[in-house]
């Protein structure tokens, strides 16, 4: 394999456990980035020529390299792919039932740019790294070595593929994959739209937070904003909520909410509203609607660092509007999947929402992503999900 040589002192982060190499850390006088092909695997050397490991490289990216081994001359191949798939599988099977989980979570599982979500006998594979794309046939062989005979959908249409110079496609690689695939989460049955839905069709990351909300929902009136296909709301109804209203801008997603409700025999408790979330919250407030629990789980308002200011304003506005819809003593469940929104900042935004609504607040619980989205301790970016359960009331 060719060598990628770093500038002096640019090896510090890698030695501390990080996996990423930035293009400005490469000594281009000794190893020109233009001499490498996207997806090529290389040996990484420090400025003195000492080996730091093996990496996948894409010379056109700011993060131009991602370590896949701490040893030189150890590229990803079928054998190593199978070993990492097995390791990840053991971890998930210890944590979750029903074979429903995120099987592979990118860098945290030693497989950069690879996501695999499992729905029992169906898996959805998403590749967003040129090196993994080059290894796709080896990856499929490795998957069959670890768990033979799965039905495999390649859902390779994410926005990162264009950045990596990869074409989009969605196709079945093995077996048969229907439009809607069954799964279970926290004892509740769902159908995931793996072909046409967001990302892989389902978001396993909030599993533990939704389980907590189940326990709070018994006998309550619940509003599920940005509901998508009802992950939060249907679980609340199945756990004994008195009434649940799911709000989303997608009619297709809300049709699935009602299918999920029927699947769990809670159709009489579930209602839906197709609308822009912000407009809906204003209208519900004007109509005098009030709820015991309001759940806010929006898409990422902060996709990039430059979006932080505008994104924080969006989170603040959403939570202020949501808080106005709570009964005098109510619970706001506020979530964020924005990597660039810090947990402490989300709590500050909730305090500001309390102040502007004349309420007092208590953080009852804070949550994050489940164990099938493991956090790499040296890569803060892998710790992206936040959930705050906030009790609010008016001062006597």
């Amino acid at each position: 394999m060719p060598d990628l040589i770093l500038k002096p002192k640019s090896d510090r982060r890698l030695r501390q456990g990080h996996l990423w190499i930035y293009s400005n850390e490469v000594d281009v006088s000794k190893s020109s980035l233009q001499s490498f092909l996207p997806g090529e695997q290389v040996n990484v050397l420090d400025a003195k020529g000492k080996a730091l490991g093996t990496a996948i490289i894409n010379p056109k990216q700011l993060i131009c390299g991602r370590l896949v081994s701490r040893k030189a001359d150890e590229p990803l191949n079928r054998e190593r792919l199978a070993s990492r798939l097995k390791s990840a599988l053991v971890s998930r099977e210890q944590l979750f039932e029903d074979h429903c989980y995120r099987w592979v979570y990118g860098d945290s599982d030693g497989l950069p740019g690879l996501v695999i979500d499992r729905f029992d006998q169906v898996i959805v594979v998403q590749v967003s790294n040129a090196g993994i794309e080059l290894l796709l046939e080896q990856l499929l062989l490795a998957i069959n070595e670890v768990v033979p005979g799965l039905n495999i959908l390649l859902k390779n249409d994410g926005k990162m593929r264009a950045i990596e110079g990869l074409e989009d496609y969605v196709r079945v690689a093995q077996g048969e994959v229907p439009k809607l695939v069954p799964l279970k989460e926290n004892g509740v049955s769902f159908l995931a739209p793996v072909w046409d839905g967001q990302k892989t069709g389902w978001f396993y990351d909030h599993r533990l937070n939704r389980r907590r909300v189940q326990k709070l929902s018994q006998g309550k009136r619940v509003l599920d904003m940005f509901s998508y296909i009802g992950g939060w709301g249907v679980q609340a109804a199945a756990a004994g909520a008195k009434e649940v209203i799911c709000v989303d801008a997608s009619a297709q997603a809300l049709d699935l909410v009602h299918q999920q409700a029927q699947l769990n025999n809670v159709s009489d408790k579930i209602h839906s509203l197709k609308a822009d979330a912000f407009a809906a919250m204003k209208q519900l407030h004007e109509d005098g609607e009030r709820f015991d629990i309001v759940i806010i789980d929006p898409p990422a308002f902060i996709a990039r660092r430059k979006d932080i200011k505008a994104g924080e304003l969006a989170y603040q506005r959403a939570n202020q509007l949501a808080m106005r819809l709570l009964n005098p003593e109510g619970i706001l469940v506020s979530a964020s999947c924005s990597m660039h929104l810090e947990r402490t900042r989300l709590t500050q935004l909730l305090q500001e929402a309390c102040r502007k609504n004349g309420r007092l607040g208590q953080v009852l619980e804070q949550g994050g992503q489940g164990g099938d989205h493991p956090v790499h301790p040296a890569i803060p970016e892998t710790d992206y999900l936040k959930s705050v359960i906030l009790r609010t009331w008016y001062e006597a």
Side-chain angles (χ1 to χ4, degrees), residues 310-336:
E312 287 185 352
L313 287 173
Y315 280 112
Q316 184 176 18
R317 182 168 165 242
N319 284 291
Q320 282 179 216
L321 290 171
M323 201 173 287
R324 294 197 307 172
L325 294 168
L326 286 171
N327 282 323
E329 287 199 15
I331 289 177
L332 176 63
V333 180
S334 182
S336 168

Side-chain angles (χ1 to χ4, degrees), residues 216-238:
L216 296 170
S217 298
Q218 294 179 17
K220 306 296 185 184
R221 190 171 192 238
V222 178
L223 177 64
D224 181 8
M225 299 300 305
F226 306 95
S227 68
Y228 184 42
I229 59 174
W232 294 88
V234 173
Q235 290 195 42

Side-chain angles (χ1 to χ4, degrees), residues 93 209 274 396:
E93 291 286 275
N209 304 317
K274 180 185 177 299

Side-chain angles (χ1 to χ4, degrees), residues 167-206:
E167 294 182 358
D168 290 353
Y169 61 89
V170 179
R171 66 176 175 86
V172 174
Q174 179 172 292
E176 296 182 0
V177 180
K179 290 291 185 181
L180 298 175
V181 173
L183 71 118
K184 272 198 171 183
E185 183 179 283
N186 299 326
V188 182
S189 297
F190 287 94
L191 296 169
V194 294
W195 284 83
D196 303 316
Q198 298 177 25
K199 300 294 180 70
T200 66
W202 185 254
F203 296 93
Y204 282 121
D205 49 5
H206 268 304

Side-chain angles (χ1 to χ4, degrees), residues 50 70 108 172 192 251 277 358:
K50 186 173 181 180
R70 292 283 170 185
S108 293
V172 174

Side-chain angles (χ1 to χ4, degrees), residues 141-340:
L141 290 171
I143 289 170
N144 275 298
E145 180 182 328
V146 177
V147 185
L150 292 173
N151 302 284
I152 304 174
L153 179 68
L154 301 177
K155 182 93 180 290
N156 287 332
D157 57 357
K159 61 184 179 181
M160 288 302 297
R161 287 184 65 83
I163 297 172
E164 283 282 304
L166 301 173
E167 294 182 358
D168 290 353
Y169 61 89
V170 179
R171 66 176 175 86
V172 174
Q174 179 172 292
E176 296 182 0
V177 180
K179 290 291 185 181
L180 298 175
V181 173
L183 71 118
K184 272 198 171 183
E185 183 179 283
N186 299 326
V188 182
S189 297
F190 287 94
L191 296 169
V194 294
W195 284 83
D196 303 316
Q198 298 177 25
K199 300 294 180 70
T200 66
W202 185 254
F203 296 93
Y204 282 121
D205 49 5
H206 268 304
R207 179 200 316 252
L208 302 183
N209 304 317
R210 288 193 281 250
R211 184 171 68 189
R212 183 60 180 151
V213 170
Q214 279 186 319
K215 295 181 179 180
L216 296 170
S217 298
Q218 294 179 17
K220 306 296 185 184
R221 190 171 192 238
V222 178
L223 177 64
D224 181 8
M225 299 300 305
F226 306 95
S227 68
Y228 184 42
I229 59 174
W232 294 88
V234 173
Q235 290 195 42
K242 178 173 60 178
E243 181 187 11
V244 177
I245 297 179
C246 292
V247 180
D248 200 271
S250 167
Q252 184 180 13
L254 293 176
D255 285 344
L256 273 172
V257 167
H258 291 288
Q259 287 191 51
Q260 322 285 18
Q262 186 175 7
L263 197 61
N264 291 280
N265 299 313
V266 292
S267 294
D268 57 325
K269 298 180 179 182
I270 297 280
H271 307 283
S272 63
L273 175 61
K274 180 185 177 299
D276 168 80
F278 292 92
M281 286 190 283
K282 288 181 179 178
Q283 189 61 54
L284 288 167
H285 180 262
E286 290 175 6
D287 293 344
E289 298 283 359
R290 297 296 181 266
F291 301 87
D292 302 302
I293 299 175
V294 177
I295 301 160
I296 296 282
D297 182 18
F301 288 149
I302 308 174
R304 297 159 294 183
R305 286 192 182 277
K306 68 178 185 178
D307 302 325
I308 288 177
K309 185 175 181 180
E312 287 185 352
L313 287 173
Y315 280 112
Q316 184 176 18
R317 182 168 165 242
N319 284 291
Q320 282 179 216
L321 290 171
M323 201 173 287
R324 294 197 307 172
L325 294 168
L326 286 171
N327 282 323
E329 287 199 15
I331 289 177
L332 176 63
V333 180
S334 182
S336 168
C337 61
S338 293
M339 175 185 69
H340 298 296

